[in-house]
Amino acid sequence: MLQNQGREMMIVTSGAVAFGKQRLRHEILLSQSVRQALHSGQNQLKDVSVPVLEARACAAAGQSGLMALYEAMFTQYSTCTAQILVTHLDFHDDDKRQNLNSTLQELLRMNIVPIINTNDAVVPPPEPNSDLHGVNVISIKDNDSLAARLAVEMKADLLIALSDVEGLYDSPPGTDDAKLIDIFYPGDQQSITFGTKSRVGLGGMEAKVKAALWALQSGTSVVIANGTSPKVTGHVITDIVEGKKVGTFFSEIKPAGPSVEQQTEMARQAGRTLASLHPDQRSEIICHLAELLTDRKEEILAANKTDMDQAVNAGLLPAALVKRLSLSASKLGSLAVGLRQIAAAAQDSVGRVLRRTRVAHGLQLEQITVPIGVLLVIFEARPDCLPQVSALAIASGNALLLKGGKEAANTNRILHQLTQEALSIHGVKDAVQLVSRREEVEDLCRLDKLIDLIIPRGSSQLVRDIQRAAKGIPVLGHSEGICHVYVDADASVDKVVKIVRDAKCDYPAACNAMETLLIHRDVLRTPAFDQIVDMLRTERVKIHAGPRFASYLTFSPSEAKSLRTEYSDLQCCVEVVDGVQEAVEHIHKYGSSHTDVIVTENEETAEHFLQQVDSACVFWNASTRFADGFRFGLGAEVGISTARIHARGPVGLEGLLTTKWVLRGDGHTAADFSESGTMKFLHENLLVGEPAAGRRDSN
């Protein structure tokens, strides 16, 4: 694929010895069997033993088989290959090295892929510790050193060394606490514990690292990655070339500050301390953050002005995102009020007893609330999101990893500094971390061993990308906000006009803004319908006609391209339905399970709608814009979830908690109880009160 894109590719490969060994063993077994049969004159054969095969003979017999395999594979893609066998003399003799270089350059010029291997049929075994010192010299011991030497000789941009593990680990893979190193820097060798050499071949990971560092200091970038998994290998090379985080990348420049993995570990450790604090201490941290937002507003607004100026000058952000990016003194004041509400709610969050049961005499079971763990929140152009989400994480005892949009980098930086300043009053500064490196979202979503929940805050495209990229990490959020308002035949026209105006025009870019207006067919061609349309025109809302609505009109507005569109602008779709049940069916077919509204004075119709619509939020005679954590009295929200498990709708403090079971016994074992006896005891002894000392119970 890369060759056909116009890149110059070379392959350094092994396999000739293995091919030859298989071929020679077959030949030897066959010849021994024939000789024994001739000598004995009988069909009964003695045990046939295969002598130890000399590697150079195996290489000579296997070269043709190895190349036949490569020829067969590359021919399928109309790519020509050429074999080149080298020895260490081809590099140490200047004339031979120049000849080798010329040959490789000519093959590459003709769009031919050179397949290079050491000429194991004639090369002597490598001498241990025979490396020569110097930038331009490395002895050829194995494919790793050969590849490094060729990469430098040919001034290659990139050397990819494929292994049978994901990359370089700080200790042998498979051992306890072995961690994959994403970026390796010269001088870090002392922190690595190498295992035994490769099961096949002459090298091992230590040889790969040595060759990689030699190539790196000579100007070639190096990546060590896994080349053995069928599900991965087909993409690993192209992923590396595209700059994705795959395997271990060798770099000479070590950036300042910890890596994302180190930040996550720091957050988890501090988060456990945060969760163990008394509720008053967590509330004190949040209240201090609220004070800092108002006391240091000049610093915050100055940083925000820098971001705003850069965004306006670049002209790359839509007007709606520029509006979200903007902060003001009044907005900071509102944020501080919301944070104090969260601080009050933090008094009864972590450690609340949801259920207490006496399983047997002296054996008591409790279900209590606990933090989820490490949260990753990814948000776009919304700096006000940072203190809100931080406060919710602090209140729920969760560690937090924040990834903000680059357009708000300066504002996010000062807000994060203030958050850590507030956390410092109880020694948990590291519980909230801001990812400042240019980590791709896809790379962050692969940290399934470190992150427990991902919460995206941004466009529907961002949420969809994260849902696709997350491997083994739950994602809390919604990919689209296709909200409906259904105007029933018994609706009050005044309420309709008021609700539709607010739902569509108050904040068109919000995920809880109305996108489709469903009209009962009896409302068409009535003064009420004319009032609705006149209001939308006055507010400069562009109307897209649904197919049925268009059929009623002689000259209709532009027809909607899809009934499943999130406009996020002063546009909406208008469609006609026969009644409440058809409205419900339309919402189920084209909606996103976010927020849907009925406007009617008929209580029976309204109850039918409320019961039947399967969305996170369903309202009667109220705007879709009420689907918001602040308006629900949650203080703030981390997002709106359309999932059907864990949390649904606006997710506040409660949605960031899970539970664990605590059993207090006195030497009890499961063998002490029969199932039927235990169930009878539970039925008779379920406790609905009697809080244990120091525990907080819900009603």
Side-chain angles (χ1 to χ4, degrees):
M1 184 187 300
L2 295 172
Q3 181 78 5
N4 291 335
Q5 289 175 3
R7 299 180 186 272
E8 295 178 335
M9 310 296 299
M10 297 188 298
I11 296 177
V12 174
T13 181
S14 58
V17 174
F19 264 93
K21 186 176 291 186
Q22 185 179 20
R23 181 177 177 184
L24 291 180
R25 287 186 63 179
H26 177 77
E27 292 295 330
I28 291 170
L29 287 171
L30 182 62
S31 63
Q32 286 183 346
S33 300
V34 171
R35 282 198 301 272
Q36 286 188 15
L38 290 174
H39 286 307
S40 64
Q42 300 174 355
N43 290 329
Q44 296 179 352
L45 301 179
K46 299 177 183 178
D47 292 337
V48 178
S49 61
V50 179
V52 177
L53 298 173
E54 207 273 328
R56 280 174 287 189
C58 293
Q63 287 290 353
S64 59
L66 177 66
M67 280 309 298
L69 175 62
Y70 276 112
E71 284 286 350
M73 291 193 294
F74 276 95
T75 301
Q76 296 179 68
Y77 300 96
S78 303
T79 301
C80 185
T81 59
Q83 183 183 31
I84 295 181
L85 298 176
V86 298
T87 67
H88 67 280
L89 294 176
D90 294 312
F91 295 97
H92 292 306
D93 184 286
D94 288 341
D95 291 336
K96 290 184 177 181
R97 190 174 75 250
Q98 185 58 44
N99 291 338
L100 174 62
N101 189 302
S102 299
T103 301
L104 290 172
Q105 294 287 6
E106 183 64 15
L107 292 173
L108 293 174
R109 188 185 66 79
M110 294 188 293
N111 203 32
I112 295 173
V113 178
I115 297 178
I116 306 155
N117 194 5
T118 53
N119 191 352
D120 294 325
V122 298
V123 71
E127 297 177 11
N129 303 320
S130 63
D131 282 342
L132 301 177
H133 297 288
V135 174
N136 296 320
V137 180
I138 185 172
S139 65
I140 308 301
K141 293 182 178 181
D142 47 46
N143 279 333
D144 303 318
S145 52
L146 172 60
R149 187 63 194 266
L150 281 166
V152 173
E153 179 70 30
M154 300 300 294
K155 297 181 174 58
D157 298 305
L158 175 64
L159 166 61
I160 301 174
L162 295 180
S163 175
D164 57 357
V165 292
E166 299 304 315
L168 177 60
Y169 288 78
D170 58 1
S171 56
T175 59
D176 292 340
D177 301 324
K179 294 179 181 177
L180 178 67
I181 300 171
D182 291 314
I183 305 178
F184 185 79
Y185 307 97
D188 286 354
Q189 296 95 312
Q190 62 272 17
S191 63
I192 306 297
T193 303
F194 292 102
T196 57
K197 77 175 187 68
S198 173
R199 181 176 56 84
V200 295
L202 300 172
M205 188 54 73
E206 189 171 6
K208 280 183 169 55
V209 171
K210 194 170 187 178
L213 290 173
W214 186 86
L216 181 67
Q217 70 175 340
S218 301
T220 297
S221 299
V222 185
V223 175
I224 298 177
N226 191 339
T228 60
S229 173
K231 293 182 179 178
V232 175
T233 308
H235 301 287
V236 65
I237 296 174
T238 50
D239 283 351
I240 290 170
V241 172
E242 289 171 6
K244 295 181 180 178
K245 186 181 281 188
V246 179
T248 300
F249 177 71
F250 285 71
S251 173
E252 288 189 295
I253 303 172
K254 194 167 188 175
S259 67
V260 174
E261 291 78 10
Q262 290 169 330
Q263 283 186 290
T264 310
E265 288 286 357
M266 291 161 59
R268 185 180 290 279
Q269 292 301 321
R272 287 172 177 153
T273 305
L274 175 67
S276 67
L277 295 178
H278 191 276
D280 289 340
Q281 293 174 304
R282 288 194 294 271
S283 295
E284 187 181 352
I285 292 171
I286 299 169
C287 287
H288 187 47
L289 176 57
E291 291 171 5
L292 289 172
L293 290 180
T294 52
D295 293 346
R296 307 268 285 275
K297 62 184 178 184
E298 288 80 10
E299 293 178 53
I300 301 170
L301 295 177
N304 185 246
K305 185 178 185 304
T306 302
D307 288 329
M308 288 289 294
D309 291 344
Q310 290 175 354
V312 172
N313 292 335
L316 300 177
L317 285 183
L321 283 183
V322 173
K323 184 179 179 182
R324 285 185 180 184
L325 180 61
S326 174
L327 290 180
S328 62
S330 61
K331 203 168 188 178
L332 291 175
S334 298
L335 274 174
V337 172
L339 262 56
R340 291 189 178 93
Q341 291 179 353
I342 296 171
Q347 292 291 327
D348 190 29
S349 55
V350 181
R352 186 172 74 252
V353 178
L354 301 179
R355 182 182 306 178
R356 179 181 290 115
T357 307
R358 189 179 296 120
V359 180
H361 293 293
L363 190 63
Q364 187 167 283
L365 179 67
E366 292 179 346
Q367 184 184 19
I368 64 174
T369 56
V370 293
I372 290 174
V374 178
L375 312 177
L376 168 61
V377 177
I378 302 170
F379 55 100
E380 296 176 321
R382 298 188 65 167
D384 58 325
C385 174
L386 195 153
Q388 287 179 341
V389 172
S390 297
L392 287 169
I394 294 165
S396 56
N398 284 291
L400 181 61
L401 200 64
L402 293 159
K403 172 64 174 172
K406 61 183 179 182
E407 59 280 343
N410 294 289
T411 315
N412 288 338
R413 191 178 302 113
I414 182 64
L415 290 173
H416 176 248
Q417 288 172 1
L418 298 179
T419 302
Q420 289 202 319
E421 185 176 329
L423 287 162
S424 297
I425 65 175
H426 289 297
V428 286
K429 173 185 174 183
D430 291 334
V432 176
Q433 297 283 334
L434 179 66
V435 178
S436 55
R437 291 191 184 184
R438 297 182 63 183
E439 299 286 339
E440 292 292 335
V441 169
E442 188 175 339
D443 295 333
L444 292 170
C445 291
R446 291 175 179 171
L447 301 177
D448 57 306
K449 299 277 195 311
L450 301 173
I451 295 169
D452 300 299
L453 179 67
I454 301 175
I455 304 172
R457 295 288 304 271
S459 66
S460 58
Q461 186 59 50
L462 171 71
V463 179
R464 282 193 296 269
D465 290 343
I466 291 172
Q467 288 173 335
R468 277 195 298 268
K471 305 296 183 184
I473 309 176
V475 178
L476 188 151
H478 63 279
S479 59
E480 292 176 307
I482 304 174
C483 303
H484 296 75
V485 173
Y486 165 58
V487 179
D488 187 52
D490 297 321
S492 160
V493 65
D494 292 336
K495 290 179 183 178
V496 171
V497 170
K498 185 178 179 182
I499 289 170
V500 171
R501 177 187 284 116
D502 183 73
K504 181 70 262 184
C505 307
D506 175 60
Y507 192 175
C511 64
N512 58 8
M514 181 195 78
E515 303 294 4
T516 299
L517 178 63
L518 297 177
I519 304 289
H520 192 291
R521 60 184 172 87
D522 292 346
V523 178
L524 287 178
R525 299 192 177 93
T526 65
F529 179 71
D530 293 339
Q531 280 186 253
I532 298 169
V533 174
D534 289 343
M535 179 274 295
L536 291 174
R537 285 174 177 165
T538 301
E539 297 290 344
R540 298 186 177 180
V541 177
K542 183 178 180 180
I543 296 174
H544 301 274
R548 189 170 176 190
F549 178 48
S551 68
Y552 283 89
L553 305 173
T554 305
F555 300 101
S556 70
S558 63
E559 193 164 336
K561 294 179 180 178
S562 170
L563 295 175
R564 193 182 284 110
T565 300
E566 183 178 15
Y567 296 100
S568 299
D569 200 353
L570 283 174
Q571 304 179 56
C572 73
C573 172
V574 177
E575 183 57 312
V576 176
V577 292
D578 286 336
V580 65
Q581 186 55 39
E582 190 173 324
V584 170
E585 291 169 0
H586 179 102
I587 290 168
H588 287 166
K589 185 174 182 179
Y590 300 108
S592 61
S593 301
H594 192 295
T595 301
D596 298 291
V597 170
I598 182 172
V599 185
T600 184
E601 298 303 301
N602 188 313
E603 185 175 352
E604 183 179 346
T605 302
E607 288 299 330
H608 178 85
F609 185 90
L610 297 176
Q611 293 296 323
Q612 293 297 315
V613 172
D614 183 22
S615 295
C617 301
V618 189
F619 301 158
W620 173 21
N621 287 349
S623 169
T624 57
R625 295 281 290 130
F626 269 101
D628 176 84
F630 187 81
R631 293 183 175 92
F632 277 16
L634 303 179
E637 65 179 31
V638 294
I640 295 180
S641 172
T642 55
R644 281 157 171 78
I645 57 173
H646 178 63
R648 200 175 188 200
V651 180
L653 183 57
E654 293 293 325
L656 299 182
L657 296 169
T658 183
T659 64
K660 71 177 180 182
W661 294 91
V662 176
L663 187 63
R664 307 173 194 275
D666 187 21
H668 296 81
T669 67
D672 295 336
F673 306 97
S674 67
E675 186 175 341
S676 58
T678 301
M679 292 306 296
K680 181 174 183 295
F681 190 93
L682 289 175
H683 179 71
E684 295 171 351
N685 292 274
L686 181 66
L687 301 184
V688 190
E690 305 179 26
R695 309 302 296 178
R696 299 178 301 285
D697 286 53
S698 65
N699 292 335

